[in-house]
Amino acid sequence: MLRDYDLAFETYGTLNADKSNAVLVCHALNASHHVAAVYEDQPDEHGWWDNMVGSGKPVDTDRFFVIGVNNLGSCFGSTGPTTMNPETGKRWGADFPLVTVEDWVDSQARLLDQLGVTTLAAVIGGSLGGMQAMSWAIRYPQRIRHALVIAAAPNLSAQNIAFNEVARQAIMSDSAFHNGAFADYNTVPKDGLTVARMIGHITYISDDQMESKFGRGLREGLKFSFAPEFQIESYLRYQGEKFSEYYDANTYLRVTKALDYFDPARQFEGDLSRAFAGITARMLVISFTTDWRFSPARSREIVKALLDADRDVTYAEVNAPHGHDAFLLDDRQYHAIVRGYLRGISTGAAT
């Protein structure tokens, strides 16, 4: 249990007089509260959803007061494994408790209390962020008017849990991991983190996209060795090594577990429509045709359950070649859907 905690957050735009134009953006696995724009001292570090959030963009900060929160247990400013445990004077490390999507949503609600925001115009998120948007609609029906659930699923399939477990085992099997106490040994399980990210990254890209970008292209010709000879090998190693430089291993273990645990239908004997019965928010669900990690079929499960519960839902399936990562990328159809939907949202207290 945590007696108290800190949450890092950023805001964009201006909160209106009756505090009714707030939009909460929920992030996915390795993102943070830095949703849009740049810092003065880091002009090249754009926010992870800078193409979506900003003046004149689909989530228009000329109309909305946008809030980005770093999830509890992350490694980008909020209390987590990399921060100090006040009871020991040492980093939390492996002692940091497991957290759930519901814990994140509850902590976000407490932050909004501190900001004086009682009702959100919308909650929006992709992937794991979409799961948080879904959970917001379930847990706080009177505090949210719209939920945008993008490239998400009502729970993880066995295959997705399997990918997460292999990634976790890669980290925990690294000799530098030291059962999560690697900071005490001044080590970082970079090899494990690299492999974990390589595994994850494969699931974020469609087969067609991987083929068109890399195919069977070679870097310098065949050398018949275990060095990265194919371009795709080199690309995956680059992505993995870059990830291992900035992401915390204990955080990765906990975030992927939160993904595994998410299942709002569990307490309703697997009946998702019953889990959605109390939702009052209007829902927009978006999927991408080539996303095989959270396929359109999984989004349609959400839509069917909402319809079965007689809830208000709009569904869009975007024909995009990029796979799961499509929710982060520039796609005219996708951005037009989000822009059009949000234009129809009142920024007054009544919907």
Side-chain angles (χ1 to χ4, degrees):
M1 287 288 292
L2 295 174
R3 291 189 301 180
D4 50 47
Y5 52 84
D6 296 321
L7 294 179
F9 70 98
E10 288 185 9
T11 64
Y12 314 84
T14 302
L15 189 62
N16 62 10
D18 62 2
K19 300 182 178 181
S20 62
N21 69 331
V23 171
L24 176 67
V25 172
C26 301
H27 69 76
L29 190 150
N30 66 311
S32 72
H33 54 292
H34 183 40
V35 176
V38 297
Y39 300 135
E40 288 185 4
D41 59 340
Q42 300 175 35
D44 296 326
E45 295 295 324
H46 289 262
W48 61 269
W49 226 1
D50 189 57
N51 62 359
M52 179 69 79
V53 177
S55 176
K57 296 178 181 179
V59 185
D60 192 349
T61 52
D62 295 333
R63 293 185 65 226
F64 296 108
F65 178 66
V66 178
I67 306 164
V69 185
N70 186 217
N71 286 341
L72 180 66
S74 183
C75 52
F76 299 117
S78 294
T79 298
T82 61
T83 60
M84 292 296 173
N85 179 347
E87 294 186 3
T88 65
K90 298 169 61 177
R91 290 185 182 183
W92 276 97
D95 292 331
F96 194 82
L98 291 177
V99 291
T100 65
V101 169
E102 291 77 13
D103 291 331
W104 291 334
V105 168
D106 291 345
S107 67
Q108 292 159 5
R110 294 186 186 107
L111 172 63
L112 294 178
D113 291 341
Q114 295 298 309
L115 297 177
V117 175
T118 57
T119 304
L120 289 162
V123 179
I124 177 172
S127 189
L128 181 54
M131 292 177 171
Q132 292 171 68
M134 211 183 315
S135 185
W136 257 100
I138 295 169
R139 295 179 74 76
Y140 295 96
Q142 302 308 315
R143 296 192 67 172
I144 169 178
R145 302 203 303 273
H146 297 266
L148 285 74
V149 178
I150 304 170
N155 54 33
L156 288 199
S157 65
Q159 183 187 56
N160 271 304
I161 294 173
F163 279 122
N164 284 346
E165 174 60 7
V166 173
R168 287 191 294 266
Q169 287 300 320
I171 292 171
M172 293 187 288
S173 299
D174 190 318
S175 61
F177 183 64
H178 296 289
N179 293 318
F182 49 88
D184 295 341
Y185 293 84
N186 294 314
T187 62
V188 175
K190 285 189 174 182
D191 291 344
L193 275 166
T194 296
V195 174
R197 183 59 171 177
M198 290 170 70
I199 293 166
H201 206 75
I202 291 169
T203 71
Y204 304 149
I205 309 174
S206 72
D207 182 50
D208 288 345
Q209 186 76 353
M210 200 175 290
E211 184 65 29
S212 66
K213 287 182 68 174
F214 305 105
R216 291 183 54 82
L218 296 166
R219 297 176 66 207
E220 300 173 350
L222 287 173
K223 296 182 179 179
F224 297 97
S225 74
F226 292 109
E229 299 175 87
F230 291 92
Q231 290 177 9
I232 184 60
E233 294 176 310
S234 179
Y235 171 76
L236 287 175
R237 290 199 190 190
Y238 168 76
Q239 292 294 335
E241 289 167 3
K242 182 174 69 171
F243 182 75
S244 72
E245 294 290 332
Y246 70 85
Y247 206 78
D248 174 65
N250 283 314
T251 296
Y252 191 95
L253 299 181
R254 282 152 180 76
V255 173
T256 55
K257 267 297 183 181
L259 262 168
D260 292 353
Y261 291 142
F262 181 72
D263 186 2
R266 181 187 295 115
Q267 60 181 306
F268 296 97
E269 299 177 333
D271 188 340
L272 189 60
S273 64
R274 287 173 57 197
F276 289 163
I279 288 177
T280 60
R282 296 176 180 175
M283 310 286 287
L284 172 63
V285 180
I286 300 175
S287 68
F288 300 93
T289 53
T290 56
D291 182 356
W292 61 274
R293 176 123 204 203
F294 293 150
S295 70
R298 302 309 316 276
S299 287
R300 290 195 291 269
E301 287 180 40
I302 298 170
V303 173
K304 182 181 184 302
L306 286 165
L307 292 173
D308 288 346
D310 198 25
R311 303 299 91 185
D312 189 321
V313 58
T314 300
Y315 176 59
E317 190 170 307
V318 179
N319 185 12
H322 310 102
H324 186 59
D325 267 355
F327 83 93
L328 296 170
L329 303 178
D330 288 314
D331 182 280
R332 290 177 62 185
Q333 182 188 7
Y334 163 45
H335 280 204
I337 292 166
V338 175
R339 185 190 302 275
Y341 186 87
L342 291 179
R343 277 179 178 168
I345 289 181
S346 168
T347 54
T351 25

